[in-house]
């Protein structure tokens, strides 16, 4: 859905993008991950044709993006990190304005508006936008970005200033929206990525250092370490006493490396001693560890 090839952008003597390559598959929820100031917003503005780049190509659904000439934006919905609205309007009035701007039939615009307000949880909201919380404005921002049924929904740090409840609400909405469109969202909040993303790219130094399907990346960097969690502290203590190489983790969990027979040795002991366990699983690398490796720290 989105293809970026060799993208360069410099502001003064600072090179923000240094030959960036990125491919966003159709029907994916794509996490664009990077530290603050890594160039995520610059990349998104380039995709929208709002800034002139110093080199490279951008294609949206196979159509080239050109600075200042943005027919490709017909295929894009955009939610900035701080969306702005007319405070004197209600949500329905604002979406009706979106309909007028896009030349949508009034009856169709009203129907689409109700559909989207239901999606983002604002269907019963009657107050003017000026009284909305930050989370409510983000939800309305998603509704306006989806109004024209875009093929690509771009969200720039959509959860960065929200509390945990607001973040969950926005992520749930984006997950629901992914059934209708490809979702690309930039973030530095790694737990948000793990919650909903199918694909990721790590941006550092103006380049993408690691990218692909999240499940495949985790499998590629998986280790021979396992986590076993007994149902009680007593069970964990017994295993730690019996096997000196085990490492205590959070709660009652313990971890160990399997050298080819360790896992079955421990499970055999657990079975003979009838120690209840809640889980045993291969330890996946955390997204934080992958990110730190991608940025070379």
């Amino acid at each position: 859905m989105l293809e970026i090839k060799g993208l360069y952008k410099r502001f003064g003597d600072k090179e923000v993008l240094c030959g960036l390559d990125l491919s966003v598959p159709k029907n994916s929820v794509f996490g664009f991950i990077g530290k603050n100031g890594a160039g995520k917003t610059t990349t998104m503005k380039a995709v929208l044709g709002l800034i002139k780049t110093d080199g490279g190509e951008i294609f949206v659904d196979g159509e080239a993006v050109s600075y200042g000439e943005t027919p490709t934006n017909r295929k894009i919905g955009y939610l900035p990190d701080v969306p702005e609205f007319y405070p004197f309007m209600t949500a329905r009035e604002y979406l009706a304005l979106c309909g007028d701007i896009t030349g949508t039939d009034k009856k169709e615009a009203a129907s689409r508006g109700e559909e989207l307000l239901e999606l983002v949880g604002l269907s019963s909201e009657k107050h003017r936008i000026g009284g909305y919380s930050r989370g409510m404005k983000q939800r309305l921002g998603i509704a306006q970005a989806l109004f024209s049924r875009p093929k690509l929904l771009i969200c720039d740090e959509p959860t960065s200033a929200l509390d945990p409840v607001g973040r969950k609400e926005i992520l749930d909405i984006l997950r629901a929206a992914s059934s209708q469109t490809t979702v690309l969202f930039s973030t530095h909040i790694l737990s948000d990525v793990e919650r909903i993303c199918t694909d990721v790219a790590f941006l550092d130094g103006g380049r993408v250092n690691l990218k692909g399907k999240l499940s495949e990346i985790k499998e590629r960097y998986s280790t021979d370490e396992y986590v076993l969690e007994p149902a009680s502290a007593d069970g964990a203590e017994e295993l730690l006493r019996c096997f000196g190489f085990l490492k205590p983790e959070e709660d009652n969990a313990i971890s160990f490396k399997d050298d080819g027979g360790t896992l079955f040795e421990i499970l055999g002991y657990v079975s003979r001693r009838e120690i209840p366990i809640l889980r045993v699983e291969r330890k996946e690398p955390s997204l934080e560890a992958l990110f730190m490796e991608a940025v070379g720290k």
Side-chain angles (χ1 to χ4, degrees), residues 91-117 143 147-149:
R92 283 180 175 79
E93 289 171 343
Y94 185 80
L95 292 180
L97 174 63
C98 291
D100 288 340
I101 292 172
T102 57
T104 306
D105 174 79
K106 289 188 179 298
K107 186 176 180 180
E108 182 182 345
S111 175
R112 180 61 174 163
E114 291 302 322
E115 177 186 345
L116 291 168
L117 290 175
F147 187 86
S148 296
R149 305 183 190 277

Side-chain angles (χ1 to χ4, degrees), residues 34 88 121 164 234-235 258 285:
F88 54 86
D234 290 342
D258 181 36

Side-chain angles (χ1 to χ4, degrees), residues 186-250:
S186 73
T187 186
H188 61 272
I189 304 175
L190 300 180
S191 59
D192 290 354
V193 175
E194 291 197 282
R195 185 175 295 175
I196 69 168
C197 284
T198 59
D199 300 74
V200 296
F202 295 92
L203 179 65
D204 182 58
R207 296 181 177 88
V208 170
N209 291 346
L210 184 63
K211 59 186 174 182
K213 289 197 172 296
L214 182 55
S215 59
E216 293 176 359
I217 290 175
K218 285 191 171 185
E219 179 63 28
R220 190 188 319 157
Y221 287 87
S222 64
T223 67
D224 56 358
E225 194 168 2
Y226 286 79
V227 175
L228 184 147
E229 184 178 355
S232 67
D234 290 342
E237 290 173 4
E238 180 177 346
L239 289 170
L240 288 168
R241 284 196 306 270
C242 182
F243 300 96
F245 54 83
L246 298 180
K247 298 177 183 178
E249 300 279 345
E250 292 183 355

Side-chain angles (χ1 to χ4, degrees), residues 8-238:
Y8 287 85
K9 178 60 184 177
R10 178 184 293 273
F11 293 101
D13 61 354
K14 181 176 176 58
E15 193 167 43
V16 178
L17 301 178
C18 312
L20 178 101
D21 294 311
L22 184 67
S23 181
V24 177
K26 291 183 179 180
N27 304 316
S28 63
V29 181
F30 198 101
F32 193 36
I33 307 167
K35 298 177 292 185
N36 288 332
K40 302 187 299 297
T41 297
T42 299
T43 301
M44 292 184 171
K45 287 183 177 179
V47 172
L48 294 165
L50 300 178
I51 60 173
K52 187 175 183 179
T53 59
D54 300 319
E57 298 177 301
I58 305 172
F59 299 90
V60 175
D61 195 29
E63 187 175 350
V65 174
S66 300
Y67 168 67
E69 299 177 8
T70 55
T72 47
N73 284 354
R74 299 190 310 270
K75 303 178 180 182
I76 301 175
Y78 177 58
L79 174 67
D81 55 345
V82 183
E84 297 290 344
F85 306 97
Y86 296 110
F88 54 86
M89 286 185 168
T90 66
R92 283 180 175 79
E93 289 171 343
Y94 185 80
L95 292 180
L97 174 63
C98 291
D100 288 340
I101 292 172
T102 57
T104 306
D105 174 79
K106 289 188 179 298
K107 186 176 180 180
E108 182 182 345
S111 175
R112 180 61 174 163
E114 291 302 322
E115 177 186 345
L116 291 168
L117 290 175
E118 184 68 32
L119 173 68
V120 301
L122 292 175
S123 59
S124 60
E125 184 56 54
K126 308 295 183 184
H127 294 90
R128 299 189 184 280
I129 300 170
Y132 280 16
S133 67
R134 176 70 183 270
M136 293 170 71
K137 288 180 179 178
Q138 292 293 85
R139 285 189 268 161
L140 179 57
I142 294 174
Q144 66 82 22
L146 290 172
F147 187 86
S148 296
R149 305 183 190 277
K151 293 186 175 183
L152 175 64
L153 172 63
I154 296 178
C155 302
D156 190 3
E157 300 276 5
T159 62
S160 59
L162 302 180
D163 59 31
V165 173
R167 281 171 52 203
K168 182 182 183 303
E169 291 174 347
I170 295 301
L171 292 174
D172 287 345
I173 292 168
L174 291 178
R175 184 187 290 111
S178 68
S179 64
Q180 307 172 21
T181 183
T182 300
V183 178
L184 168 67
F185 79 97
S186 73
T187 186
H188 61 272
I189 304 175
L190 300 180
S191 59
D192 290 354
V193 175
E194 291 197 282
R195 185 175 295 175
I196 69 168
C197 284
T198 59
D199 300 74
V200 296
F202 295 92
L203 179 65
D204 182 58
R207 296 181 177 88
V208 170
N209 291 346
L210 184 63
K211 59 186 174 182
K213 289 197 172 296
L214 182 55
S215 59
E216 293 176 359
I217 290 175
K218 285 191 171 185
E219 179 63 28
R220 190 188 319 157
Y221 287 87
S222 64
T223 67
D224 56 358
E225 194 168 2
Y226 286 79
V227 175
L228 184 147
E229 184 178 355
S232 67
D234 290 342
E237 290 173 4
E238 180 177 346

